[in-house]
């Protein structure tokens, strides 16, 4: 069997998205900035895509800024809010401990440049508390940035309440919605978001394209200087085919969201039930307030890396921690933030299901993980000590 269970890392492009982009890679290659009709055809395709993307998240077309993906959108949102804040002498930012590195590393840079950042803890359920966020706000807070849904443990934050609070206090609110857009309902008006990041390859569009929603009237600073594309907010000839494909993928995902989410959540819960039968294992993150396709477990007494390699031998693509940290020996900052100790955080497994995942695949995954965990524990010194009564089980 060949099972792709790493949809939080990236997704397969939908046929609709592939079909939509092809003409802009072949026939209609004109530069959107050119004045002749052939170039204007590309320009029109971009503007049509902008309207589609805007409609899918409850925004206006001019509030959509196309980027190279989620990382760039996060960088630009945070940099823009910081620059805007600094002009008014406001240099305090509120975020949380489980953000994606695109957010965390940008914040770390800003700290070196004289900003102060409060990283809210998350509780063991992987969720930020609105009261704690309210208590962290100050007179000089220029930005709150809290992700919509976590890429590792799938937990969904109380975005609407956070947005309402920030709006009431007159503080800019950005949310990294890369894992949410196309998977769960996102509406920038209802969520009171001032800025929101998304990435096409997480909802069956192509890699290397995404967007930043910027509420009307909010100033941005460009990360890339050059031509006047994107109304001066991002220079560089537009990725026309990518933008067109992203819009097609998003429209399709949003159109099938309810049915896909319901089906995927049922499979997710079947997988969670199956893996819970493994002794000394635990689900990471709230079992309910999580993305329909996310399953993340810790297994005591094993190494996540070996688990992944053996699952790969069985044809299963999975991950441990985020794609950025796998390969390094540091345990995931997200698992540490929800209180998993180093040893346990090392034995983690993330399985993220997609729209095409089947029940047979889920049952095969459960069977395979059970076998592999038992096998690895068979020669784990940590496990041997635990069952010999030296040291105590944590999970
Ligand atoms: C994937 C991801 C990103 C980065 O998006 P890219 O388009 O790959 O740059 C940012 N934030 C979250 C939560 C993600 O899952």
């Amino acid at each position: 069997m060949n099972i792709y269970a790493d949809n939080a890392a990236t997704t397969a492009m939908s046929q609709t998205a592939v079909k939509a982009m092809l003409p802009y890679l072949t026939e209609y290659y004109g530069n959107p900035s050119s004045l002749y009709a052939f170039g204007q055809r590309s320009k029109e395709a971009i503007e049509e895509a902008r309207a589609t993307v805007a409609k899918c998240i409850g925004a206006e077309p001019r509030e959509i800024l196309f980027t190279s993906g989620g990382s760039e959108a996060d960088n630009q949102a945070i940099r823009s809010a910081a620059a805007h804040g600094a002009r008014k002498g406001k240099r305090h930012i509120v975020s949380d401990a489980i953000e994606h590195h695109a957010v965390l590393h940008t914040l770390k840079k800003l700290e070196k440049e004289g900003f102060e950042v409060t990283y809210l803890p998350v509780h063991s359920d992987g969720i930020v508390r609105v009261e704690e966020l309210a208590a962290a706000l100050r007179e000089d807070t220029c930005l709150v940035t809290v992700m919509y849904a976590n890429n590792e443990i799938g937990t969904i934050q109380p975005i609407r309440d956070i947005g309402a609070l920030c709006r009431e206090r007159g503080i800019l609110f950005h949310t990294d919605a890369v894992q949410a857009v196309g998977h769960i309902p996102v509406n920038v008006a209802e969520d009171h978001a001032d800025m929101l990041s998304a990435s096409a390859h997480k909802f069956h569009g192509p890699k290397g394209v995404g967007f930043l929603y910027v509420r009307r009237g909010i100033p941005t600073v460009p990360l890339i200087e050059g031509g006047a594309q994107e109304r001066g907010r991002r220079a560089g000839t537009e990725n026309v085919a990518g933008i067109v494909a992203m819009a097609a993928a998003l429209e399709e995902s949003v159109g099938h969201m309810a049915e896909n989410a319901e089906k995927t959540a049922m499979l997710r819960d079947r997988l969670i039930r199956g893996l819970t039968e493994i002794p000394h294992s635990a689900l990471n993150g709230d079992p309910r307030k999580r993305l329909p396709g996310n399953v993340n477990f810790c297994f005591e007494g094993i190494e996540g890396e070996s688990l992944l390699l053996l699952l790969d031998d069985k044809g299963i693509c999975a991950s441990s921690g985020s794609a950025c940290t796998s390969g390094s020996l540091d345990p995931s900052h997200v698992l540490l933030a929800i209180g998993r100790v180093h040893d346990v955080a090392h034995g983690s497994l993330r399985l993220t299901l997609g729209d095409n995942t089947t029940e047979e695949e889920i049952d095969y995954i459960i069977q395979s993980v059970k076998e592999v965990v038992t096998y690895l524990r068979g020669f784990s010194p940590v496990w041997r000590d635990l069952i010999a009564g030296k040291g105590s089980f944590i999970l």
Side-chain angles (χ1 to χ4, degrees):
M1 264 215 231
N2 244 322
I3 300 174
Y4 185 72
D6 203 14
N7 284 276
T10 197
T11 58
M13 268 185 81
S14 75
Q15 280 312 307
T16 313
V18 173
K19 274 208 195 92
M21 93 188 288
L22 276 177
Y24 295 93
L25 293 170
T26 53
E27 258 177 283
Y28 307 123
Y29 54 82
N31 188 317
S33 300
S34 302
L35 288 179
Y36 39 78
F38 184 55
Q40 285 305 300
R41 177 156 196 149
S42 302
K43 176 85 188 148
E44 280 159 24
I46 293 176
E47 293 318 312
E48 207 178 299
R50 201 186 305 279
T52 302
V53 166
K55 190 182 65 182
C56 288
I57 61 161
E60 290 174 29
R62 62 173 161 166
E63 295 175 316
I64 303 299
L65 168 52
F66 293 124
T67 67
S68 67
S71 300
E72 184 187 332
D74 284 340
N75 274 256
Q76 187 163 12
I78 294 167
R79 285 266 165 207
S80 297
H84 188 54
R87 278 196 294 274
K88 298 189 197 158
K90 296 184 176 187
R91 294 178 159 266
H92 177 239
I93 298 171
V94 175
S95 188
D96 62 84
I98 64 167
E99 290 296 309
H100 189 272
H101 285 137
V103 168
L104 287 179
H105 291 175
T106 305
L107 294 175
K108 286 275 170 267
K109 270 262 176 72
L110 285 171
E111 284 184 273
K112 290 205 180 101
E113 295 168 21
F115 285 81
E116 199 185 323
V117 182
T118 301
Y119 299 94
L120 296 169
V122 290
H123 290 221
S124 58
D125 57 6
I127 295 174
V128 167
R129 296 299 185 271
V130 181
E131 317 81 73
E132 291 177 7
L133 191 145
L137 298 179
R138 308 192 318 212
E139 279 305 310
D140 63 340
T141 306
C142 62
L143 170 71
V144 169
T145 175
V146 173
M147 72 202 315
Y148 215 109
N150 185 266
N151 47 301
E152 290 187 39
I153 57 174
T155 48
I156 300 169
Q157 302 300 334
I159 290 304
R160 210 158 278 198
D161 295 340
I162 296 173
L165 173 70
C166 293
R167 188 62 56 87
E168 190 189 300
R169 298 284 292 267
I171 298 168
L172 281 182
F173 173 48
H174 165 252
T175 181
D176 173 342
V178 173
Q179 290 290 332
V181 169
H183 299 280
I184 56 173
V186 169
N187 183 295
V188 291
E190 290 170 10
D191 293 334
H192 308 289
D194 294 310
M195 290 187 278
L196 178 144
S197 311
S199 175
H201 76 99
K202 304 289 176 76
F203 53 75
H204 304 289
K207 292 165 187 60
V209 60
F211 66 88
L212 176 63
Y213 156 79
V214 185
R215 194 158 69 89
R216 199 175 57 242
I218 292 173
T220 54
V221 290
L223 298 180
I224 301 168
E225 305 286 352
Q229 290 91 352
E230 296 296 284
R231 294 199 286 121
R233 296 181 293 178
R234 183 190 193 267
T237 303
E238 299 88 338
N239 176 2
V240 184
I243 289 168
V244 167
M246 170 166 67
L250 183 55
E251 193 170 40
E252 191 178 38
S253 292
V254 168
H256 296 100
M257 186 184 289
E259 48 183 294
N260 280 341
E262 190 186 316
K263 195 191 111 206
T264 311
M266 262 170 54
L267 294 175
R268 172 198 69 192
D269 293 341
R270 185 184 181 92
L271 180 54
I272 292 175
R273 280 195 303 275
L275 297 184
T276 304
E277 289 169 8
I278 298 175
H280 305 287
S281 70
L283 176 71
N284 292 311
D286 191 281
R288 298 265 141 257
K289 293 175 192 150
R290 69 190 301 128
L291 290 168
N294 179 289
V295 175
N296 190 312
F297 263 78
C298 278
F299 303 102
E300 197 149 4
I302 62 161
E303 268 291 333
E305 310 279 308
S306 342
L307 181 59
L308 291 188
L309 292 176
L310 292 174
L311 287 178
D312 189 21
D313 285 345
K314 291 181 181 287
I316 300 170
C317 301
S319 110
S320 128
S322 66
C324 323
T325 46
S326 55
S328 90
L329 283 174
D330 289 339
S332 138
H333 66 288
V334 176
L335 296 179
L336 295 180
I338 63 167
R340 297 288 185 221
V341 297
H342 274 68
D343 281 359
V344 167
H346 269 303
S348 73
L349 175 67
R350 179 185 75 179
L351 296 153
T352 42
L353 318 180
D355 304 334
N356 300 322
T357 308
T358 64
E359 205 168 284
E360 292 69 49
E361 289 179 335
I362 294 296
D363 293 343
Y364 178 76
I365 295 174
I366 295 171
Q367 192 48 43
S368 305
V369 176
K370 282 180 175 172
E371 282 170 23
V372 171
V373 168
T374 308
Y375 172 74
L376 286 173
R377 281 174 173 170
F379 51 82
S380 152
V382 177
W383 184 255
R384 206 174 39 232
D385 284 353
L386 284 171
I387 51 174
K390 297 180 211 156
S392 48
F393 288 105
I394 296 162
L395 303 179

